[in-house]
Amino acid sequence: MHELTVSPWASLAYLVAGVCFILALRGLSSPASSQRGNRFGIIGMTIAVVTTLVTHVPTVQHLLVSDTGPTIAVRAIDWVTVVEILAAIGVGAAIGLVTARRIAMTAMPQLVAAFHSLVGLAAMLVGVAAYLNPQAFGISDLVVPMIGQPFAVIHPVSRIELGLGVAIGAITFSGSVIAFLKLNGNMGGKPIMLPGRHVINIALLAGILGLIAYFVTDQSAWIFWTITLLSFVIGFLLIVPIGGADMPVVVSMLNSYSGWAAAAMGFTLHNSAMIITGALVGSSGAILSYIMCRAMNRSFISVIAGGFGTSDAGAGSGGSAVDRPWKRGSAEDAAFLMSQAEQVIIVPGYGMAVAQAQHVLREMGDKLKAEGVRVKYAIHPVAGRMPGHMNVLLAEANVPYDDVFELEDINSEFAQTDVAFVIGANDVTNPAAKTDKSSPIYGMPVLDVEKAKTVLFIKRSMGGVGYAGVDNDLFYRDNTMMLLADAKKMVEDIVKALD
């Protein structure tokens, strides 16, 4: 059993780690400072991990028997356990390093969802370990003799921490697994509406909270495991009815959940670094979820309840490409129109990410600038499948930060823009969000690209729809020219035509 008291120097080290985490979040708020923010995060996590390892070195007790004196109990470092811990850290570090180097930017949203699931699972497993051996975690002082084995009575406050930590961790785990499957294409992006889902969710949530309250007075195993099981179930039920268009909110929401789960387990482990880090992640994730909901003109409750999207999504799409006229253009047409323009606004979306077209897109922008064209990039808050997805891709391609604008800063400029160049951004440019009350994206603020004199829209084919499952009215506007091809191939052809 390890010592749970924390020395002053360890508390100071945890405080420094917390400051580093705050600086990391501040740095990550802008692409220009994101690398610095990552460095602060790495430093803070290194300090926290090393401090925890040093202050919680596993020990074993040896009895020194002497013929001339009393038997002496001596504690020594348990090197076997130390090697196991270091081996586990090494394996995890290797997996993380390989994953980070090999993962494609298009798979970043599902990777984040997978990370959230691991955080939730880790929090839940810590709670299980604390429940099975409370004395090792310092959450039990009283041991009641029982038939078979002693029974450790867990502190009432620790029972609340355990119940909440395990519940939030299990919800985060199962919910993140469903989010991963949806983002990775293993499940459809359309919401799966279960009959009576609201009543079921409310009943399960009430049952979990009631059992946690009862757990304070009775720490029976059936109560603990029922809380865990019901939390797994409600995590699944909460995410299944949420449609693909809400995935950015789901990612940030699960990020918040993972933080609160870690904070709850921080209390169980008596680890201030976990409490600080968990609270930072939980609160920042909650704020980001609120910002995402405002960007989509939705309430947080409606998203959690699966109110965005229906099983017949796409009913209000206004017809298919087969029975509605549209205009097709070529790379040469696009190059000519943009080279003659005074201002071009580029609107990237998930289609650009899939095609990995950000580097050639920046090359196109540079050529247009060389010809005297003003080039700007318009980013919708929920473009892609997680917050900041497009900003990261453009930063990777070294697009100047001063050229990138958020929706509220650039929407008024489309009316004075010669060409709006849309590359793979479907739902966030759909004017039906402003006019068609039957559309599942109705009410979501979108980029006003249809107000530009000419809209060039890159899309693989006219048959597909956006992630929300609806067709885009913009395709059929008189001022829209469709460029049907792979996004990267089309932009490469446009670059050649500009030479």
Side-chain angles (χ1 to χ4, degrees), residues 313-377:
S317 61
S320 66
V322 176
D323 56 15
R324 300 182 67 183
W326 53 278
K327 292 186 294 186
R328 181 169 186 170
S330 65
E332 291 74 18
D333 296 330
F336 175 78
L337 288 170
M338 287 191 288
S339 64
Q340 300 301 309
E342 292 185 6
Q343 176 165 289
V344 173
I345 296 180
I346 299 172
V347 181
Y350 189 69
M352 182 198 74
V354 172
Q356 289 288 286
Q358 61 268 28
H359 295 282
V360 67
L361 185 67
R362 189 217 65 218
E363 184 181 354
M364 184 191 80
D366 291 343
K367 284 186 175 294
L368 290 174
K369 289 179 183 178
E371 296 188 19
V373 181
R374 291 193 307 274
V375 178
K376 296 183 178 181
Y377 296 80

Side-chain angles (χ1 to χ4, degrees), residues 272-493:
S272 57
M274 281 188 67
I275 297 172
I276 293 172
T277 305
L280 285 172
V281 173
S283 56
S284 61
I287 293 171
L288 181 58
S289 299
Y290 173 73
I291 293 173
M292 291 295 102
C293 287
R294 284 192 60 187
M296 296 189 301
N297 196 30
R298 289 294 186 275
S299 70
F300 184 75
I301 299 300
S302 71
V303 173
I304 299 303
F308 193 30
T310 61
S311 58
D312 59 346
S317 61
S320 66
V322 176
D323 56 15
R324 300 182 67 183
W326 53 278
K327 292 186 294 186
R328 181 169 186 170
S330 65
E332 291 74 18
D333 296 330
F336 175 78
L337 288 170
M338 287 191 288
S339 64
Q340 300 301 309
E342 292 185 6
Q343 176 165 289
V344 173
I345 296 180
I346 299 172
V347 181
Y350 189 69
M352 182 198 74
V354 172
Q356 289 288 286
Q358 61 268 28
H359 295 282
V360 67
L361 185 67
R362 189 217 65 218
E363 184 181 354
M364 184 191 80
D366 291 343
K367 284 186 175 294
L368 290 174
K369 289 179 183 178
E371 296 188 19
V373 181
R374 291 193 307 274
V375 178
K376 296 183 178 181
Y377 296 80
I379 305 293
H380 193 283
V382 296
R385 298 190 183 180
M386 76 173 185
H389 198 182
M390 294 300 104
N391 303 74
V392 172
L393 290 173
L394 294 180
E396 180 194 29
N398 295 319
V399 171
Y401 304 130
D402 294 339
D403 292 347
V404 181
F405 297 86
E406 300 292 338
L407 176 145
E408 61 271 14
D409 298 322
I410 201 168
N411 238 8
S412 60
E413 293 193 32
F414 280 103
Q416 291 79 42
T417 296
D418 298 296
V419 178
F421 186 83
V422 185
I423 174 169
N426 200 332
D427 301 320
V428 299
T429 62
N430 193 339
K434 296 178 285 188
T435 59
D436 187 357
K437 293 184 178 181
S438 66
S439 173
I441 62 172
Y442 178 74
M444 181 179 82
V446 294
L447 291 161
D448 296 333
V449 294
E450 77 279 1
K451 294 182 179 179
K453 295 178 182 177
T454 302
V455 178
L456 301 176
F457 203 116
I458 297 182
K459 196 171 183 291
R460 281 186 174 274
S461 68
M462 292 298 293
V465 294
Y467 200 59
V470 294
D471 199 12
N472 193 340
D473 285 346
L474 183 64
F475 302 158
Y476 316 106
R477 296 292 179 101
D478 292 336
N479 61 332
T480 299
M481 181 181 293
M482 301 299 299
L483 307 174
L484 302 184
D486 173 79
K488 186 176 182 180
K489 180 65 168 59
M490 176 58 71
V491 178
E492 287 175 344
D493 290 343

Side-chain angles (χ1 to χ4, degrees), residues 45-95:
M45 186 56 66
T46 301
I47 293 173
V49 170
V50 171
T51 303
T52 300
L53 292 176
V54 172
T55 56
H56 294 74
V57 176
T59 59
V60 292
Q61 181 173 290
H62 297 290
L63 297 178
L64 298 181
V65 181
S66 175
D67 295 334
T68 59
T71 300
I72 302 174
V74 178
R75 301 201 69 85
I77 295 177
D78 184 358
W79 289 108
V80 174
T81 304
V82 169
V83 171
E84 291 175 346
I85 293 173
L86 293 178
I89 293 175
V91 171
I95 294 174

